[in-house]
Amino acid sequence: MSNSQLQKRTGWAAFCVMAVLGVPTISLAADHLDAPGLTSPGGDRRLDITDVYAFQSPSHPNNAVLIMNLFPLAGVPTPGSFHPDASYEFKIDNNGDAKEDLTFRITFSPVNASGEQDLLLRCTPASACGFNGAVLARGRTGNTIQVAGGGLIRAGLFDDPFFFDLNAFKHVAGRTFCDGHQTNFFKGLNVMSIVLEVPRDQLGSDHVGVWARTELNGEQIDRMGRPAINTVFIPNASKNSFNAGIPRNDARDFSDFLGNFAGVLLPDVLTVNTASTAGFLNGRRLQDDVIDIELQVITGNPAAGDCVANDSAFTTTFPYLAPPN
Amino acid sequence: MRLRIRLALAAFAVLAPAASLAQSSAIRQFEERVKRDPLDGISSTILADLYLRQARQTGDLGAYEKADGALQHALQLQPGDPGASASKASLLYSEHRFTEALDLASSVYQKDSRFLQALVTVADAQMSLGRYADAEKTYQELSGKNSTPPLLARIAYLEFLKGNTEQAITLMLRATEQRRASDEASEGAAWYELRLGDLYLSAGRFEDANQHYQEALVKATGYDRAMAEAGLGNVLAAQGDLASAIAAYERAVRLHPQPSLLANLGDLYQKGGRLAEAQRQYEAVRLLAASAPLNESVYMRELAVFLSDHDMELPRALDLARRDWAARQDIYGADTLAWALYKNGRVQEAADALQLIKYNTQDAKLYYHAGLIWKAHEDPARARDSLEKALAINPHFSILQADDARKVLDEIKSPLPNSNRLLIGVVLVMVLALGARWAMSRRPLPVL
């Protein structure tokens, strides 16, 4: 059989079969985890926020810890990384108007031959950050980096701290919560995390609202405040617009979907009093069983839950997350 | 024969190159998860996706069967689950069950428009079914949602089919550039270089093709590596370096003895006069392609073309071409059908089949086939145009057939009736001359 023709044909055939290979993000994204069956926002797991945490540091009570997890199923089957053209942001509202007063922006270089990326942390605007918008930290992924003005940052692969009976939630095989078959779907899985610890006073108030977002080419790809709001309440057809939305419009745009809970759960901002060591609904600590608490809020039944408990070994010191599996 | 079978089986043993380490460990991890919790349908779907990915990257068709098993399990646990259904649609596509793939993927996407994977399968199936206008629309819809290198690459291929090779190259260059700047490790990166190499090769731009195949070789593992070696072999063959081309193809076949690679290696041996070795490769092609039902359905078209090219089992070639056409009505399906019909002496039907080719795809092979069919159809003008076109697109489009195209073209240019007349003329002159000599020799002695 003659060369170019056949080579090409088989090549393209392989490609089409590769429908997904070329599109690894599309393939596995179908199993996106913070919203079951979702396609990763923007079709890119690197931009897909799975969870956001905000809590007072157990070892340095004057510090606040902010964690953004991304890249569901990191390492399956390709290594996790951060998008070199994207910006990863923690938004802080310190006066309760659901509008950010300061932003911690983290950006990454392309992945080098050893699989590492350079990281830059900036804070804006200068007036709120007190650092004149300068670079607050610079270093490599996988390393703990000092932040100017006190604090630490680390980005890299970690154990996925989330615990939830996803199969029961999706009623796979007719399953329901606490039916005797409960399992933590996220046990043994990893995520890409950005862990930022800063002095609490740098946030401008003890009472702040926190959310994380990913942005690519000026477009917001994903955002998240409280756990599972999009997953649980927002119907499929509106999930993408929720991801593209901003908290100050949440009440206007999405209240209908949350009914009686709109007043409590919208805007989708993780509110935290950093002077308190309490957990969810005050901010969110790694060990908090947010699913149980949300189910209790939603059902009004104080015993509600998914019967799945945390099984990760968190630490009381930076970076708090368990090492990758 | 026994030796041949052994050779083919040995080839088979390496048919499935190892998946990458990360891939294997992910597969192991999810196999264990499914085993530990048989009710974990979500992990079962993820496992199926991992198998599909493995099949695509290594060419291991057995992984499709494993994917099918995992998906059956997932869909049993969660009937109609859109994630599992989208993966099932993609599997059906891989098994060349294009209509079923299209139907299932469409229904998934209609139910939930976030399943872009399903929409990608819709587009791919439309392409395979020759529904190019529909595919173009689907691509437009995808572009609005997810303009990524894989999508650009698909649009590039459509442009190539439509005859816009330059535009295809431009798009593919952009896709490759974006891919280089992107993510998710280097897996898949070689694939883009290979497609660029193929596009340049089909345009007869051998230096450019060489550059991208070299690039692919650096990035590739397993299956893609074999394809990169084969691409380089094609470039070398086109440049007239037969020995190096054979060496490259021998490396390719060692990595991945796929039917098309074995066939090309056979052609190279044939061209080099190593006929016994050529026959061995051809025999292996037939054994491999027929060794499993899935192999035959996946390689149906390749086998039909191979048998037609080599004048082997021509009725079977036609049967395969017809079955292939029934499964997918794309440009190459029409071409394969026309070619097999022609080889079976059904010239009128072959000419009719040529009309099924919807675009002026700038692929020399298509024009070569058309040239031979038009010649047999006693339309020398069209035959000449087609063959000239083939050689203009790429003077070295095929290891064996480019030379044949030149030969046939020469015959058409100095048509047979004239040459016959010339021959008769020459013979007449010779007979007359001989007769004269004979007459002379028999000439009576001059009368003194």
Side-chain angles (χ1 to χ4, degrees):
Chain A
M1 197 156 333
S2 313
N3 51 17
S4 67
Q5 172 71 37
L6 196 81
Q7 163 96 14
K8 180 161 58 231
R9 278 193 205 171
T10 49
W12 283 104
F15 164 67
C16 296
V17 178
M18 272 200 333
V20 211
L21 161 153
V23 212
T25 48
I26 288 183
S27 164
L28 280 165
D31 311 297
H32 173 60
L33 305 173
D34 80 1
L38 249 187
T39 299
S40 280
D44 192 328
R45 284 195 284 169
R46 295 173 298 176
L47 304 172
D48 186 346
I49 303 169
T50 62
D51 285 286
V52 178
Y53 300 82
F55 53 91
Q56 184 193 87
S57 163
S59 45
H60 296 94
N62 287 330
N63 286 353
V65 180
L66 307 173
I67 298 177
M68 160 178 0
N69 288 342
L70 306 124
F71 211 117
L73 289 170
V76 178
T78 48
S81 66
F82 299 98
H83 198 306
D85 301 323
S87 131
Y88 297 83
E89 298 172 354
F90 290 107
K91 297 281 191 184
I92 312 293
D93 163 27
N94 57 25
N95 55 17
D97 61 359
K99 240 177 111 175
E100 70 267 31
D101 297 294
L102 65 153
T103 299
F104 293 101
R105 176 177 294 122
I106 302 110
T107 52
F108 297 89
S109 71
V111 178
N112 71 15
S114 326
E116 298 163 327
Q117 295 178 273
D118 290 326
L119 164 165
L120 279 184
L121 168 68
R122 288 188 178 85
C123 181
T124 53
S127 55
C129 299
F131 286 96
N132 211 15
V135 171
L136 294 189
R138 185 192 298 270
R140 279 265 158 97
T141 51
N143 295 296
T144 298
I145 305 157
Q146 297 287 335
V147 174
L152 301 166
I153 186 167
R154 185 176 176 123
L157 187 69
F158 287 96
D159 161 73
D160 188 343
F162 190 47
F163 47 101
F164 180 39
D165 191 345
L166 187 62
N167 278 288
F169 175 75
K170 284 188 75 186
H171 299 300
V172 173
R175 286 209 43 227
T176 53
F177 292 137
C178 308
D179 61 358
H181 295 289
Q182 56 268 19
T183 47
N184 170 21
F185 180 83
F186 297 87
K187 185 182 169 72
L189 301 181
N190 296 323
V191 284
M192 295 300 286
S193 303
I194 302 173
V195 188
L196 172 66
E197 177 168 332
V198 290
R200 279 164 41 207
D201 57 16
Q202 208 186 314
L203 303 183
S205 167
D206 281 342
H207 295 268
V208 292
V210 177
W211 70 100
R213 67 173 209 137
T214 51
E215 187 197 74
L216 183 67
N217 303 324
E219 189 191 344
Q220 178 172 303
I221 305 297
D222 198 5
R223 57 107 175 209
M224 185 173 188
R226 290 199 174 90
I229 299 297
N230 197 357
T231 306
V232 175
F233 292 102
I234 308 297
N236 290 345
S238 298
K239 284 189 195 292
N240 283 344
S241 53
F242 188 87
N243 283 334
I246 50 175
R248 66 175 176 276
N249 294 336
D250 280 351
R252 182 194 73 196
D253 296 339
F254 302 105
S255 280
D256 290 350
F257 302 128
L258 278 82
N260 294 337
F261 306 107
V264 187
L265 298 175
L266 292 183
D268 184 18
V269 166
L270 187 59
T271 50
V272 56
N273 172 10
T274 59
S276 164
T277 56
F280 195 67
L281 298 161
N282 179 51
R284 181 181 179 187
R285 298 171 305 179
L286 293 167
Q287 71 273 26
D288 291 342
D289 197 333
V290 294
I291 294 292
D292 284 6
I293 297 166
E294 283 190 346
L295 285 171
Q296 288 154 16
V297 170
I298 294 166
T299 61
N301 171 7
D306 69 348
C307 293
V308 163
N310 169 47
D311 47 31
S312 300
F314 304 122
T315 61
T316 54
T317 55
F318 191 90
Y320 308 102
L321 291 158
N325 298 284
Chain B
M1 188 60 198
R2 198 169 286 167
L3 175 68
R4 281 181 194 166
I5 289 173
R6 219 169 36 234
L7 280 174
L9 289 178
F12 227 86
V14 284
L15 233 187
S20 76
L21 198 63
Q23 182 118 317
S24 317
S25 86
I27 286 176
R28 255 198 321 279
Q29 183 188 359
F30 277 83
E31 281 173 344
E32 277 163 25
R33 284 172 69 102
V34 171
K35 209 168 133 190
R36 205 166 47 231
D37 183 1
L39 296 180
D40 184 355
I42 298 169
S43 289
S44 206
T45 302
I46 295 172
L47 180 59
D49 282 345
L50 290 169
Y51 286 138
L52 285 175
R53 196 183 167 97
Q54 184 192 18
R56 284 189 299 266
Q57 289 181 351
T58 64
D60 172 11
L61 299 185
Y64 286 128
E65 285 163 36
K66 289 185 185 170
D68 198 26
L71 285 175
Q72 266 180 30
H73 180 62
L75 286 165
Q76 212 168 7
L77 294 175
Q78 186 80 321
D81 176 66
S85 302
S87 299
K88 176 76 185 176
S90 150
L91 173 67
L92 288 167
Y93 178 88
S94 305
E95 293 174 335
H96 291 199
R97 292 158 68 180
F98 301 111
T99 311
E100 291 165 82
L102 178 60
D103 292 347
L104 183 57
S106 304
S107 83
V108 170
Y109 185 70
Q110 273 160 19
K111 274 184 218 146
D112 190 339
S113 63
R114 292 162 310 136
F115 278 92
L116 292 185
Q117 185 198 348
L119 192 58
V120 171
T121 304
V122 166
D124 289 342
Q126 286 166 333
M127 288 290 285
S128 290
L129 293 166
R131 302 184 196 168
Y132 297 116
D134 291 347
E136 192 151 18
K137 260 185 239 150
T138 310
Y139 286 152
Q140 275 163 10
E141 187 170 354
L142 274 165
S143 293
K145 289 165 178 269
N146 192 282
S147 192
T148 53
L151 181 61
L152 277 178
R154 283 171 163 81
I155 298 172
Y157 184 52
L158 179 58
E159 286 301 322
F160 170 76
L161 290 181
K162 287 165 76 176
N164 307 322
T165 304
E166 283 309 312
Q167 171 71 357
I169 289 173
T170 305
L171 285 168
M172 203 61 217
L173 280 169
R174 204 189 305 158
T176 309
E177 208 47 54
Q178 283 187 16
R179 173 74 205 185
R180 279 182 192 144
S182 97
D183 76 315
E184 298 241 8
S186 60
E187 279 181 296
W191 184 88
Y192 290 85
E193 304 291 349
L194 286 174
R195 298 293 77 79
L196 262 176
D198 292 348
L199 280 172
Y200 280 125
L201 185 72
S202 65
R205 290 167 62 175
F206 304 118
E207 272 314 313
D208 290 320
N210 181 56
Q211 189 194 322
H212 288 283
Y213 288 134
Q214 296 284 5
E215 194 73 36
L217 200 58
V218 172
K219 295 177 177 170
T221 54
Y223 180 84
D224 281 346
R225 203 178 163 76
M227 289 304 169
E229 291 282 12
L232 290 171
N234 291 335
V235 170
L236 290 162
Q239 291 169 337
D241 185 350
L242 193 58
S244 305
I246 287 176
Y249 258 97
E250 285 173 341
R251 286 193 295 275
V253 164
R254 265 199 301 279
L255 286 164
H256 192 86
Q258 201 209 20
S260 63
L261 301 186
L262 292 165
N264 280 355
L265 178 57
D267 288 351
L268 287 168
Y269 284 141
Q270 183 89 23
K271 188 159 186 166
R274 296 158 68 174
L275 304 187
E277 285 160 286
Q279 282 310 315
R280 263 210 299 282
Q281 305 307 317
Y282 296 156
E283 193 61 34
V285 173
R286 290 202 283 183
L287 282 169
L288 272 184
S291 60
L294 186 58
N295 279 22
E296 197 187 72
S297 81
V298 169
Y299 294 125
M300 193 170 339
R301 180 175 295 174
E302 281 70 21
L303 194 55
V305 174
F306 167 77
L307 294 173
S308 302
D309 279 354
H310 296 88
D311 294 314
M312 291 173 179
E313 300 182 65
L314 291 175
R316 180 168 171 225
L318 182 53
D319 175 55
L320 289 166
R322 283 189 168 133
R323 281 160 56 201
D324 179 58
W325 175 250
R328 44 177 168 172
Q329 298 83 39
D330 64 347
I331 282 171
Y332 288 101
D335 167 62
T336 304
L337 183 61
W339 186 230
L341 283 164
Y342 160 76
K343 285 287 186 166
N344 279 271
R346 307 169 81 138
V347 175
Q348 183 56 51
E349 288 170 80
D352 292 345
L354 284 182
Q355 309 302 321
L356 299 169
I357 297 175
K358 292 175 185 169
Y359 294 122
N360 294 320
T361 307
Q362 297 300 292
D363 181 337
K365 195 67 176 287
L366 295 171
Y367 284 97
Y368 167 72
H369 290 166
L372 263 60
I373 291 167
W374 290 128
K375 178 170 176 286
H377 201 249
E378 291 177 8
D379 191 340
R382 282 174 101 166
R384 194 170 88 169
D385 283 355
S386 297
L387 292 169
E388 280 175 345
K389 192 81 209 292
L391 292 165
I393 293 170
N394 182 355
H396 305 286
F397 66 87
S398 153
I399 297 162
L400 297 177
Q401 291 170 339
D403 291 343
D404 188 55
R406 269 182 283 275
K407 200 184 95 203
V408 176
L409 192 57
D410 285 346
E411 283 171 19
I412 297 170
K413 280 180 174 166
S414 45
L416 201 62
N418 284 342
S419 61
N420 279 355
R421 242 174 268 150
L422 188 66
L423 192 69
I424 292 164
V426 169
V427 169
L428 263 177
V429 168
M430 285 173 71
V431 166
L432 284 174
L434 282 170
R437 271 195 69 179
W438 182 82
M440 289 283 279
S441 68
R442 290 277 179 269
R443 196 172 56 178
L445 290 171
V447 179
L448 290 174

